[in-house]
Amino acid sequence: MVPAPLTSIAILGGGLAGAFAAARLARSLPDDMTLTLVDVPGAEAKDLFFGTVTTPAAYNVMLALGLGEPEVLPQTDTTFSLGTQYSWAGREWVQAFHQPLPVMAGVQFHQYAARARQDYADFVMSVAAARRGAFAHPPEGQKTPLAELEYGYHFLPAQWAKLLHDALPARVERVAGEVASVDTEGETLRSVKLEDGRTIEADLFIDAAGVWSAPGSGWTGGSMIYAEESLTPAQGPVGVVRTLQQLDYGWSATTPLRTGTHTLTASKSGEGLKLGRSDRAWIGNVLSFGLLATGADPLTTAPMTLLMRNVESLAELIPFTTDMRVEAREYNRRHRDDFDHAHLFERAFGTEGYPDRLAHKIEQFESRGALVQYDLEPFEAQDWLLLHLGMGRIPKARDVLADRVPDAQLHSQLATMRRAVETVAAKLPPAKVYHDGLLRYLGKRNA
Amino acid sequence: MGIQRICILGGGTAGWMTAAGLSNKFNSLGIDITLIESDAIGTVGVGEATLPHIRMFNQALGIDEAEFMRATRATFKLGIEFCDWGRLGDRYIHPFGDYGAPVDGIEFHHFWLRLLQNGHSAALDDFSYPVLAAEAGKFRMPGPDISRIGSNFGYAYQFDSGRYAKYLRGYSEARGVTRMEGRVVEAAREKKSGDIASVTLDDGRSVTADLFIDCSGFRGVLIEQELQTGYEDWSRWLPCDRAQAVPCEARGPSLPYTRATAREAGWQWRIPLQHRTGNGYVYWSEYISDEQATEQLMSTLEGPATADPKQLYFKTGKRKQLWNRNVVAIGLSGGFLEPLESTSIYLIQEGITALIELFPTSLDMERDASEYNRRMDLGFDRVRDFLLLHYVATQREDSPMWRYFRNMELPDSLSEKMEAWRSRGYVQRYEHGVFLPPSWIAVMAGQNLIPQGRDRRVDARPMADVIAMTDSIAKQSHAAVASTPNHGDFLKRYGAIDPSIMDAAE
Ligand SMILES: Cc1cc2nc3c(=O)[nH]c(=O)nc-3n(C[C@H](O)[C@H](O)[C@H](O)COP(=O)(O)OP(=O)(O)OC[C@H]3O[C@@H](n4cnc5c(N)ncnc54)[C@H](O)[C@@H]3O)c2cc1C
């Protein structure tokens, strides 16, 4: 029997995950498919666990949804982010977004910095700008250290969810209501009944509200995280990084937004989320999506990075027919790999009890500064490098080839690079000045 | 104290590539490199088709391309033509390059699939400049702007590997590598660590070193005969176990691609060089005798043989640890995968690159070895799956060998990949490994695995747009080929032809 074509998709849950999925699918589906977004009240309650920082990848993701900076910046409190300033494990560092520094004569840059006993971070444009609380857009196609600046965003999940909702094309049918019951058969969710009596049917359900999952999905992880948030009005943005401090139990982060300072404290009270990931997020015709399938600690940028990756996997795997076993298997494989790789990064904030694959990474770094990367990791080699250095992991030895450059030449080259970064950083405007100016310009342009 | 002395055992392609790579990097650091080779034992003397990566290797050595091509009598290679793989009578080219270019992040082949699945006739080859150029026997360099059709492709070489080794020997000796002739008959171990301390030659000389690179070929003189590292046997998946190789006089214009023709008990290669054509038959001895293989091989040569066929024996697989104690196995000593996709020299190169990147910082090299082995194992595994794909993505059932493959239980990694392709044209990606999605697409589509579905996002566009877009790419590809010179002319103009061949021809 030839399986029927897939013609309808319903997304359950209007939080940030549901909104992202809806926005992406609305732009990806052929005209003859229907897309419904069911706004299940309360589905956004846990959205604070997406954290407040996105990586640079968000720029392209939002742009592809028709939401460039001219839309995002004026309509929300979003600000530019160069990363996170951590006070962690008794140490301080800026975990900055950045491009890898140049490989010179076949040797990675940090090996030379190590040889010259200099701090790698001093050569990173984003770090230099972050230390001064300064920002400007990196110019395209110019040879200046500023072109190396990489930035993401500070944002509020609720604001981005609203932004995405408001921009949804008319093809998305929008419904709101509490789920009263579900009609299931085996691994198939036939329909969802809302309290007002309406019935939502679809060939594929994307469940971002925890409505239903077929038995046997399995879960890896298990501990809970609790968090509370608050917003203090301020004439911001007063900085260009999130600052995150370790507490006796958990941590607390402050994020400079346009009209206020946001505080997120992950400790013993507040909203709770189960950390870990579903082993098979997609079973039958239900894809469990968002924080309930992918519980990452907002200590790092993992929650948003994983959301963006999952949205991408989904868009690439929109099923062709109602037989979607291949799609489910492939989605689940990607989902597991992405989460597990991101999780290694989070575990690297610890000082012991490393899982094998992380232990290997740390051992290789500590023995010779080698940066081991597995396939398609969400965190890249340069992220790992700053984290290792930040955590005080010092390679015992360095790349033998780094010794080929004569001392004098190395020192003068490094001095030149360092000076170039400092000179540019010194000329950058404070983040607030730049941000205000940009908004004024956009305001005039839009008027 | 770090590594002071390196001993490379073996002077085949692997040995001299290693010597060149290491001397280029470590010569100025005062590290002493000795290479031992035995004229009496000789080299396998085959292995003439390469992958585009070799250009990076040569570039890192600072080698001039035209000079190198003259010295090795090389031709350009745009891909491999596969004959009779899907069904008898089929043929396709696996090019070094993408089909079309992605549109808004959607891989191009999904647009092709939409045409196909809607009853339009569309050949995937029309969207590949390197395929069309190869078919036409043409070649030029890719331009700098890779976003242009006719520029986003790679190329490799077909060369005389004996000459390549000789060329690199000159390069290495000029950078301080000491060559010793003789047969290694014994190895002495470090008492405490069990590492290899020195090797002794048949004339009594001995070489002491901190690090040994075993490039001794199939024997694995150090990695296996001495250290007994063990071999992972993959002949369950890739059962061909013998080969015969024979060069012959070239006929017709020199073609910018290698050919691999499936036979009933294996497959046959054809590699065109400037001065001759290399041929060989890789087969499974269970289903064909050596005599029959010789007969088949010799009866299909395009010109008179210029030497007797050379018989080779092997077992596919790889050493359990490619780096064990202070011995790194590079080349045939490390493992063998049949040359269907020209991967051996590439794996040699990978081995050298990884060794340079993980070059021991002290005599305690266990950690370096563990990362080296992890990386290389992954590389070997992925090549294995890709090779196996050629045998199992087929409709052939005309001989016991092909029936064997039909009934084979595949590694999960491969069967999942094939199923995802068949159902929706989806290609699983990975980051570390040589064959990117376009290679998988070339082989699967070329061997008649046509997907039932496609990426749904292509359906969000009007059909007319898809037709216009694909038409335009096909036109651009053909136009780019029309203005491309013949391969032979290009070789001449580039100064790549060995003058002694030119003279002989005139
Ligand atoms: C049939 C066939 C076809 C191939 N086709 C291709 C192809 O198209 N493309 C590709 O990339 N690869 C191909 N290969 C693989 C390629 O030929 C080899 O990877 C390459 O030649 C490297 O061989 P090697 O240097 O490791 O070993 P060898 O060429 O065997 O060299 C071994 C060296 O070790 C020395 N030696 C051995 N024992 C001792 C000792 N006791 N004392 C001193 N010296 C010793 C020998 O004298 C020799 O110098 C093919 C291989 C085969 C078998």
Side-chain angles (χ1 to χ4, degrees):
Chain A
M1 206 186 77
V2 181
L6 186 111
T7 59
S8 55
I9 299 179
I11 298 165
L12 309 174
L16 184 62
F20 249 118
R24 191 74 167 85
L25 290 180
R27 285 183 156 70
S28 306
L29 297 181
D31 293 342
D32 55 1
M33 281 183 68
T34 61
L35 180 61
T36 309
L37 174 62
V38 183
D39 218 329
V40 181
E44 71 293 339
K46 296 185 191 301
D47 277 5
L48 74 165
F49 289 106
F50 279 117
T52 52
V53 189
T54 75
T55 61
Y59 176 88
N60 281 325
V61 170
M62 294 297 273
L63 198 62
L65 301 175
L67 296 170
E69 287 180 356
E71 288 75 35
V72 177
L73 295 179
Q75 293 178 40
T76 65
D77 279 327
T78 303
T79 56
F80 300 109
S81 175
L82 293 175
T84 298
Q85 156 92 42
Y86 286 101
S87 305
W88 190 268
R91 304 186 53 89
E92 291 271 340
W93 78 95
V94 184
Q95 183 71 36
F97 305 122
H98 71 298
Q99 290 292 314
L101 289 173
V103 172
M104 302 188 319
V107 178
Q108 290 178 323
F109 182 84
H110 69 276
Q111 300 277 2
Y112 293 108
R115 175 178 153 205
R117 296 181 188 286
Q118 299 196 16
D119 186 356
Y120 171 83
D122 289 351
F123 298 89
V124 178
M125 188 65 230
S126 308
V127 172
R131 284 175 182 158
R132 292 170 183 264
F135 184 82
H137 274 103
E140 259 177 66
Q142 281 178 40
K143 254 189 106 51
T144 145
L146 191 56
E148 307 297 313
L149 193 86
E150 282 275 293
Y151 70 91
Y153 302 104
H154 300 131
F155 78 113
L156 290 177
Q159 289 185 352
W160 276 29
K162 180 168 184 314
L163 189 71
L164 289 161
H165 271 149
D166 292 349
L168 284 181
R171 69 173 301 175
V172 184
E173 192 190 339
R174 302 188 52 177
V175 183
E178 207 76 67
V179 173
S181 64
V182 292
D183 176 12
T184 65
E185 184 192 330
E187 291 186 341
T188 304
L189 175 57
R190 291 174 178 283
S191 65
V192 172
K193 201 167 197 171
L194 302 185
E195 279 196 329
D196 62 9
R198 275 179 299 184
T199 301
I200 312 292
E201 289 180 349
D203 295 331
L204 169 64
F205 286 93
I206 306 201
D207 182 4
V211 171
W212 186 72
S213 69
S217 59
W219 186 267
T220 298
S223 63
M224 293 291 292
I225 180 173
Y226 297 92
E228 287 171 327
E229 63 177 339
S230 64
L231 195 60
T232 324
Q235 283 303 307
V238 286
V240 75
V241 288
R242 171 176 75 148
T243 52
L244 188 147
Q245 211 158 20
Q246 190 171 30
L247 306 176
D248 287 340
Y249 185 94
W251 51 264
S252 179
T254 50
T255 306
L257 295 167
R258 179 153 66 92
T259 62
T261 302
H262 178 270
T263 306
L264 181 66
T265 303
S267 190
K268 288 180 176 160
S269 58
E271 187 67 48
L273 180 76
K274 188 157 76 161
L275 292 175
R277 54 118 173 113
S278 171
D279 296 339
R280 289 165 69 210
W282 189 338
I283 299 184
N285 71 332
V286 183
L287 166 58
S288 172
F289 200 73
L291 294 164
L292 297 179
T294 321
D297 191 328
L299 168 67
T300 73
T301 51
M304 273 304 280
T305 299
L306 291 171
L307 175 61
M308 292 188 289
R309 285 231 174 175
N310 291 336
V311 168
E312 196 47 43
S313 297
L314 169 61
E316 211 179 315
L317 289 164
I318 300 162
F320 221 72
T321 68
T322 48
D323 176 1
M324 44 191 112
R325 282 171 298 182
V326 166
E327 285 80 2
R329 187 180 61 203
E330 183 58 16
Y331 179 92
N332 291 338
R333 186 187 67 82
R334 283 167 67 155
H335 174 250
R336 282 192 302 266
D337 281 359
D338 286 344
F339 181 90
D340 293 352
H341 285 147
H343 191 58
L344 295 182
F345 193 74
E346 183 191 315
R347 292 289 296 271
F349 280 76
T351 49
E352 57 186 13
Y354 304 128
D356 286 352
R357 292 185 2 128
L358 175 58
H360 181 70
K361 273 177 176 266
I362 290 177
E363 175 195 276
Q364 290 298 316
F365 186 76
E366 288 186 335
S367 84
R368 56 175 304 138
L371 293 163
V372 173
Q373 286 295 101
Y374 302 118
D375 269 324
L376 304 168
E377 282 191 47
F379 289 94
E380 300 185 65
Q382 64 269 25
D383 302 322
W384 280 97
L385 176 57
L386 281 184
L387 176 56
H388 286 321
L389 295 172
M391 287 293 292
R393 299 184 184 117
I394 307 294
K396 284 197 228 7
R398 63 173 180 266
D399 205 326
V400 178
L401 287 175
D403 292 352
R404 289 203 307 175
V405 182
D407 253 335
Q409 186 191 333
L410 178 65
H411 280 278
S412 89
Q413 202 163 349
L414 291 186
T416 308
M417 288 176 74
R418 183 197 273 266
R419 213 174 314 117
V421 168
E422 277 166 10
T423 310
V424 171
K427 286 197 199 124
L428 290 179
K432 177 173 161 46
V433 171
Y434 186 81
H435 200 102
D436 288 350
L438 184 64
L439 282 184
R440 266 197 310 279
Y441 165 77
L442 290 174
K444 265 192 231 137
R445 211 187 60 168
N446 293 345
Chain B
M1 268 268 280
I3 304 288
Q4 299 298 309
R5 283 158 308 178
I6 302 173
C7 173
I8 300 170
L9 174 53
T13 313
W16 285 115
M17 279 180 77
T18 305
L22 296 186
S23 64
N24 176 43
K25 292 287 186 189
F26 298 108
N27 184 31
S28 64
L29 291 171
I31 295 175
D32 187 77
I33 305 175
T34 303
L35 182 145
I36 308 171
E37 64 179 325
S38 158
D39 292 342
I41 294 175
T43 65
V44 302
V46 283
E48 323 208 285
T50 60
L51 294 181
H53 308 73
I54 192 155
R55 282 160 49 214
M56 256 118 70
F57 185 78
N58 284 351
Q59 270 161 23
L61 298 182
I63 286 175
D64 177 75
E65 188 173 46
E67 178 195 290
F68 143 81
M69 292 186 75
R70 283 193 299 275
T72 60
R73 298 185 168 173
T75 54
F76 290 107
K77 175 182 174 191
L78 286 168
I80 304 179
E81 179 188 33
F82 288 92
C83 299
D84 298 338
W85 283 87
R87 286 176 304 235
L88 278 165
D90 282 359
R91 53 179 291 278
Y92 68 94
I93 289 181
H94 164 200
F96 299 134
D98 297 356
Y99 294 98
V103 181
D104 291 343
I106 308 169
E107 291 159 301
F108 178 84
H109 69 276
H110 291 290
F111 294 89
W112 167 69
L113 286 174
R114 179 154 176 219
L115 294 181
L116 212 61
Q117 289 160 1
N118 283 286
H120 296 257
S121 65
L124 189 53
D125 288 351
D126 281 337
F127 309 110
S128 166
Y129 168 82
V131 170
L132 297 175
E135 298 274 11
K138 293 178 160 193
F139 182 85
R140 66 162 161 70
M141 298 285 170
D145 178 4
I146 57 157
S147 68
R148 289 176 63 115
I149 303 291
S151 283
N152 62 343
F153 68 96
Y155 68 90
Y157 314 105
Q158 305 162 132
F159 59 47
D160 182 328
S161 61
R163 286 169 175 269
Y164 186 50
K166 208 176 291 163
Y167 183 79
L168 292 181
R169 174 179 159 187
Y171 178 98
S172 308
E173 287 181 330
R175 281 158 188 78
V177 173
T178 312
R179 171 182 178 269
M180 287 170 77
E181 206 284 316
R183 199 158 59 88
V184 166
V185 289
E186 209 184 347
R189 303 282 201 103
E190 204 80 62
K191 271 219 184 61
K192 260 223 220 92
S193 65
D195 284 359
I196 293 191
S198 66
V199 292
T200 308
L201 277 62
D202 48 359
D203 62 6
R205 286 180 296 171
S206 80
V207 176
T208 309
D210 305 314
L211 177 67
F212 289 84
I213 320 293
D214 187 344
C215 299
S216 64
F218 286 125
R219 292 173 186 77
V221 170
L222 299 178
I223 195 80
E224 195 57 51
Q225 292 180 352
E226 180 59 33
L227 294 182
Q228 300 183 354
T229 302
Y231 196 70
E232 223 172 277
D233 182 349
W234 288 345
S235 49
R236 174 156 64 101
W237 288 304
L238 295 169
C240 284
D241 55 356
R242 293 185 189 183
Q244 292 179 24
V246 66
C248 73
E249 285 177 19
R251 287 286 181 268
S254 85
L255 296 176
Y257 57 88
T258 295
R259 178 177 298 143
T261 306
R263 300 254 180 256
E264 71 263 14
W267 61 276
Q268 184 172 330
W269 80 74
R270 175 191 186 274
I271 304 176
L273 311 187
Q274 292 180 14
H275 57 304
R276 62 167 163 82
T277 300
N279 307 276
Y281 189 6
V282 175
Y283 56 95
W284 187 359
S285 61
E286 188 146 326
Y287 293 123
I288 189 171
S289 70
D290 296 339
E291 295 72 33
Q292 284 170 306
T294 313
E295 204 180 290
Q296 276 197 18
L297 176 62
M298 300 307 279
S299 68
T300 47
L301 298 184
E302 66 199 50
T306 54
D308 288 334
K310 181 170 185 173
Q311 177 78 51
L312 297 146
Y313 304 89
F314 50 79
K315 191 197 288 177
T316 39
K318 69 166 238 318
R319 217 52 75 189
K320 284 191 174 135
Q321 289 169 279
L322 287 160
W323 185 336
N324 185 7
R325 298 185 177 278
N326 63 338
V327 176
V328 186
I330 295 183
L332 297 172
S333 61
F336 182 76
L337 288 164
E338 59 192 78
L340 189 52
E341 286 280 359
S342 321
T343 44
S344 294
I345 292 178
Y346 162 78
L347 286 167
I348 291 172
Q349 184 184 338
E350 280 294 288
I352 297 167
T353 309
L355 173 59
I356 289 171
E357 273 179 41
L358 297 167
F359 195 78
T361 53
S362 75
L363 297 183
D364 170 12
M365 48 188 93
E366 207 179 311
R367 286 192 194 87
D368 307 317
S370 86
E371 171 60 6
Y372 182 91
N373 289 333
R374 186 191 71 82
R375 269 198 224 178
M376 295 302 294
D377 285 356
L378 194 63
F380 267 84
D381 283 356
R382 288 184 165 161
V383 169
R384 179 200 67 197
D385 278 10
F386 187 61
L387 295 184
L388 181 50
L389 174 71
H390 296 68
Y391 285 103
V392 296
T394 175
Q395 298 78 53
R396 281 190 72 161
E397 282 193 86
D398 51 275
S399 70
M401 183 188 81
W402 294 105
R403 287 194 286 276
Y404 172 88
F405 285 110
R406 282 234 129 171
N407 299 319
M408 165 184 279
E409 195 175 323
L410 302 183
D412 286 349
S413 49
L414 180 58
S415 61
E416 282 182 16
K417 251 184 131 136
M418 289 173 67
E419 194 184 353
W421 168 259
R422 261 196 231 105
S423 93
R424 55 179 294 125
Y426 175 92
V427 186
Q428 260 183 21
R429 275 182 298 263
Y430 45 65
E431 188 175 351
H432 306 288
V434 50
F435 294 107
L436 302 176
S439 292
W440 286 82
I441 294 168
V443 174
M444 291 190 287
Q447 300 191 188
N448 313 312
L449 254 52
I450 303 299
Q452 274 146 19
R454 58 185 175 267
D455 191 316
R456 292 238 68 180
R457 290 173 296 175
V458 301
D459 299 347
R461 289 147 201 274
M463 189 66 174
D465 290 5
V466 173
I467 292 174
M469 186 270 286
T470 49
D471 267 359
S472 141
I473 291 186
K475 283 210 185 82
Q476 289 174 54
S477 312
H478 281 280
V481 173
S483 64
T484 300
N486 284 326
H487 177 226
D489 294 342
F490 187 86
L491 281 172
K492 257 184 235 144
R493 214 188 321 142
Y494 196 60
I497 306 267
D498 179 349
S500 68
I501 299 180
M502 297 260 257
D503 296 347
E506 267 149 27

